[in-house]
Amino acid sequence: MWLQCEVEVVSRFLPTCGGRGRGTRALLSLGRPPGRAQVGGVYLMVCTARDRVGARYKVQENIERFFTRFVEEGKATVRLREPAVDVRLSKANASNLKTFLAAVRLAHQGTNTEALPLSALVPAKNWEVEKPKTKMIITSRRDYPLTKNFPYSLEHLQASYCKLARIDMRVLCLKKLRKLDLSHNHIKQLPATIGDLTCLQELILHNNHLESFSGALCNSTLQKSLQFLDLSQNKIKALPIQFCQLQELVNLKLDDNELIRLPFKIGQLDHLRFLSAARNKLPFLPSDFRKLCLESLDLFGNPFEQPSLLVPNIQLQIPLTLLECAARATINYREYNPSAPDRFWCSVTLPECLKHNPSSWPPCRRLEENGTTQDKKGFLLQESQ
């Protein structure tokens, strides 16, 4: 049985025993030395990069106390009687740590040790005691690993200028991956299994041959993890409707594609703060675009069209002054008889005129014809003598 974690062995006789120092990456093994089969010969061996042979400590009836208050955080301490040291464990897998401590406890009690999954206490290998690699950058095809697997502890992987036509399936097994940079390759399609990278926060696919972005990726666990997405310099014409389900997106780059539209529900991206879609073919923006709370926006080089007016062209007229209204009323309501020496008022009063023709407003000028007064609509009125 073995456990990989960080270990610090501190002597209780030193004045700094109470302080916490820096642990060293180590491999802990519980077992018997080669050639010993006696019941009481169970040892705890600690191997580090400096000492791959390892230091051995007797376990049976030699443990004074276990400190397991923070075991859920991957921390614990095993206090030995002889020598008087504390073996401090940290950065361990909580489940594996519990199992390992349970086995050490049984070996200390000396009960049923034959049933314990003991290991052979042999020197550790380099990869077992080296600090796990979390970052790998590959910038040429000749450096790309063809026969070796990627370290499972990788959190940042960059494989650029490698002429990759598809995404390596070995990359999809890196469950701790947080940043994946596959820019400057020849990738044409994204596998749906990228959605199985539950910790992925940044996905960079700049300068590839992508023609679409799969809707299956938008329905995967990327909804809760992906924060940065770079799809610039590809051949994407449209994004799927499900794209707006990537709720955690903060930075989105879509420059130099062939986009003819943006998702009409883009306003649902509540966390989006940086959007760049320059040099595309966007004729307009969706109405939901106004709901975004952006800090940076770049839409340069798009052939936006002028919107057509959907409302009638209303021309406002300035109301007439009171003096002009009075002058027009005087002209409209007064009649002039050319046969009489002086002007006279029409004998038909305004109320009577409206009584016969309510729709005529204002009343028309009277025309004198054969002893009768006729309005412009043909209504005959008797003229007073």
Side-chain angles (χ1 to χ4, degrees), residues 148-168:
K148 295 182 179 179
N149 290 328
F150 294 100
Y152 291 108
S153 56
L154 279 183
E155 297 180 4
H156 177 190
L157 174 61
Q158 177 181 346
S160 304
Y161 302 98
C162 297
K163 298 181 181 180
L164 299 177
R166 60 181 182 272
I167 296 181
D168 196 334

Side-chain angles (χ1 to χ4, degrees), residues 213-220 240 242-243 245:
F213 190 83
S214 174
L217 295 178
C218 305
N219 294 326
S220 64
Q242 300 90 338
F243 187 84
Q245 296 181 12

Side-chain angles (χ1 to χ4, degrees), residues 51-273:
D51 183 15
R52 293 195 298 114
V53 176
R56 300 175 184 177
Y57 304 95
K58 188 178 179 181
V59 174
Q60 187 172 358
E61 298 181 357
N62 192 38
I63 296 178
E64 183 174 324
R65 188 177 178 184
F66 289 94
F67 298 89
T68 58
R69 181 177 180 181
F70 301 101
V71 68
E72 295 294 341
E73 301 178 9
K75 301 177 183 179
T77 299
V78 180
R79 175 165 291 181
L80 302 177
R81 295 173 179 169
E82 185 64 32
V85 296
D86 290 347
V87 182
R88 298 175 178 176
L89 315 179
S90 61
K91 296 185 180 180
N93 181 276
S95 178
N96 296 340
L97 179 59
K98 292 178 182 179
T99 304
F100 187 81
L101 292 177
V104 174
R105 193 185 301 273
L106 291 177
H108 162 64
Q109 296 172 354
T111 58
N112 199 17
T113 57
E114 295 298 330
L116 293 177
L118 301 178
S119 303
L121 301 182
V122 296
K125 300 178 181 179
N126 287 334
W127 64 270
E128 293 177 329
V129 293
E130 288 180 351
K131 188 175 182 179
K133 195 171 186 179
T134 60
K135 185 176 181 180
M136 177 181 288
I137 297 178
I138 306 170
T139 55
S140 65
R141 186 175 179 84
R142 64 180 181 181
D143 296 334
Y144 192 83
L146 298 177
T147 57
K148 295 182 179 179
N149 290 328
F150 294 100
Y152 291 108
S153 56
L154 279 183
E155 297 180 4
H156 177 190
L157 174 61
Q158 177 181 346
S160 304
Y161 302 98
C162 297
K163 298 181 181 180
L164 299 177
R166 60 181 182 272
I167 296 181
D168 196 334
M169 297 302 293
R170 294 175 296 172
V171 174
L172 305 178
C173 298
L174 306 177
K175 300 302 181 181
K176 297 182 179 180
L177 201 62
R178 296 180 180 273
K179 181 177 181 179
L180 177 60
D181 185 351
L182 298 175
S183 58
H184 303 284
N185 284 291
H186 302 160
I187 299 173
K188 296 183 179 180
Q189 190 175 3
L190 298 177
T193 47
I194 290 184
D196 296 335
L197 301 176
T198 57
C199 298
L200 190 63
Q201 297 179 353
E202 300 183 31
L203 179 59
I204 303 174
L205 298 167
H206 169 77
N207 193 15
N208 276 277
H209 298 166
L210 293 174
E211 297 181 356
S212 63
F213 190 83
S214 174
L217 295 178
C218 305
N219 294 326
S220 64
T221 56
L222 296 181
Q223 294 181 5
K224 300 180 180 180
S225 63
L226 193 62
Q227 300 179 6
F228 180 89
L229 178 60
D230 188 352
L231 297 174
S232 58
Q233 292 192 22
N234 282 280
K235 300 178 181 179
I236 300 176
K237 295 183 178 180
L239 296 173
I241 299 177
Q242 300 90 338
F243 187 84
C244 300
Q245 296 181 12
L246 300 175
Q247 297 288 332
E248 299 300 321
L249 264 184
V250 178
N251 196 332
L252 176 61
K253 291 187 176 183
L254 301 170
D255 302 319
D256 300 292
N257 276 278
E258 300 176 5
L259 288 173
I260 58 176
R261 59 179 173 83
L262 293 175
F264 67 93
K265 291 185 178 181
I266 194 171
Q268 295 181 356
L269 301 177
D270 298 331
H271 294 86
L272 191 63
R273 295 295 178 267

Side-chain angles (χ1 to χ4, degrees), residues 332 335 357 360 362-367 373-380:
N332 291 333
E335 292 292 341
N357 191 7
S360 177
C364 301
R365 185 187 299 274
R366 306 288 184 252
L367 300 177
T373 300
Q374 183 180 19
D375 64 1
K376 293 181 180 180
K377 295 184 178 180
F379 182 77
L380 297 178

